[in-house]
Amino acid sequence: MKKILWIVSLLAGSGVFGAQGAAALLKGEVKTYDMDGFRLHVYLTQDALGDATTVVEGRDGLVILEMPLFKENLKEFAGYLKGLGKPVVKVVADYHVGGVADYAPGQVVLVEGMSEFAKGAVYGGMLEGFKAAFGDAIDLREHAGHEEVPAEGRRIWAGVAFDFSRGASSDFPASSVVIGGRVCYTHFAPAKAHLSPLQITGPEAVDAQLAALKAAAASGCTLFVGGHGAPATPAEVEFQIAYLEKLKSLVAENADAGALAAALSAAWPGLPGDPAALAAVLYR
């Protein structure tokens, strides 16, 4: 339980997931992007977990990736959706299973493997930690049912193509999603920052995340979004690839976490994030 509460504390305090940029339109902030054949709305909740919700507005409906978890965000997000004037076709609970209880079983989508994982000790323990930290402020009601889609494959919803592929092997058993051939969705949006120990959970995760980022870079997408963090450009993806490649060499050159943290700070002075927290998980 102490480990789970540490994860919750890390999520709440991480500079990587802090509020981004412009003045808030709601409690959180909405960024919109006109793409080829659809409009993208990214709702940055600015909650304690730094969550983000993506809405794909197609010609005849809306597809949501990752609902907000906090009740006050859910309320204002519902108002925003109502203003769009189109029905919700699907709600994809990819990496985060929460906030979906008010949707019908035919609307809720889980990627294969996540239903069982969400009931397991790791994810279940994390949710218990959230309950302990946030109490009634979050919505963890169970959904009545859901559609399950393969971790790899294509779905057409609201006239937009959603191409699912397996995410980083070190992450939750969910999928990265290329939306309309233009937008790449991953668990964490890329950022010019030290990577979080929630992404790099140990030495094996470095190569896993590097492979996932290289796949994202090769997707041809021009915008990168996630369940945490602000929308990013290919420049942020290339930065994180370079960061991880440098990280591998620094791990080989430094004998302990303290030395690695100092090396990371020297390599990227002033970079947001916590190099000491990242270094700590690489020398267990």
Side-chain angles (χ1 to χ4, degrees):
M1 187 62 177
K2 287 183 179 178
K3 183 177 180 181
I4 296 300
L5 289 175
W6 173 80
I7 291 173
V8 174
S9 173
L10 189 61
L11 274 164
S14 172
V16 175
F17 301 149
Q20 306 284 334
L25 301 177
L26 307 167
K27 175 187 180 293
E29 178 184 359
V30 176
K31 295 178 179 288
T32 59
Y33 303 85
D34 287 320
M35 313 303 287
D36 291 336
F38 64 97
R39 172 173 281 189
L40 199 77
H41 308 253
V42 180
Y43 173 48
L44 303 174
T45 64
Q46 301 187 146
D47 64 16
L49 303 179
D51 287 345
T53 295
T54 297
V55 180
V56 180
E57 181 183 356
R59 60 176 178 262
D60 55 2
L62 309 173
V63 178
I64 303 168
L65 283 85
E66 313 293 30
M67 288 291 292
L69 186 61
F70 284 79
K71 292 179 180 178
E72 60 180 343
N73 290 108
L74 282 166
K75 182 177 180 180
E76 66 180 10
F77 182 64
Y80 186 81
L81 290 179
K82 184 176 180 180
L84 296 180
K86 293 181 180 179
V88 174
V89 177
K90 297 291 181 183
V91 181
V92 183
D94 195 350
Y95 287 93
H96 305 149
V97 184
V100 298
D102 291 331
Y103 289 93
Q107 293 174 296
V108 178
V109 174
L110 267 66
V111 175
E112 65 173 321
M114 271 305 292
S115 181
E116 292 76 14
F117 182 71
K119 298 171 186 175
V122 174
Y123 196 93
M126 184 178 70
L127 294 185
E128 288 301 319
F130 289 166
K131 290 177 186 178
F134 306 118
D136 194 49
I138 56 177
D139 183 4
L140 293 177
R141 292 174 297 155
E142 290 193 16
H143 53 282
H146 64 269
E147 171 189 356
E148 186 169 286
V149 299
E152 298 183 352
R154 169 172 285 199
R155 290 290 186 274
I156 307 292
W157 295 316
V160 180
F162 293 77
D163 290 300
F164 291 80
S165 62
R166 294 187 184 276
S169 60
S170 59
D171 209 339
F172 297 173
S175 293
S176 299
V177 188
V178 172
I179 304 164
R182 296 287 307 281
V183 181
C184 182
Y185 172 88
T186 55
H187 191 180
F188 297 88
K192 288 187 176 179
H194 290 290
L195 272 74
S196 164
L198 295 167
Q199 295 169 270
I200 305 300
T201 54
E204 72 289 342
V206 177
D207 284 331
Q209 291 290 341
L210 189 54
L213 282 164
K214 288 182 176 180
S219 68
C221 291
T222 57
L223 188 67
F224 299 83
V225 298
H228 301 284
T233 69
E236 281 76 33
V237 180
E238 293 301 331
F239 173 85
Q240 286 205 338
I241 290 172
Y243 181 101
L244 285 169
E245 289 176 338
K246 180 69 171 177
L247 176 62
K248 289 182 67 174
S249 66
L250 290 177
V251 169
E253 295 166 8
N254 291 276
D256 57 44
L260 176 61
L264 288 169
S265 296
W268 293 283
L271 190 69
D274 187 351
L278 173 59
V281 301
L282 294 172
Y283 290 89
R284 288 177 176 171

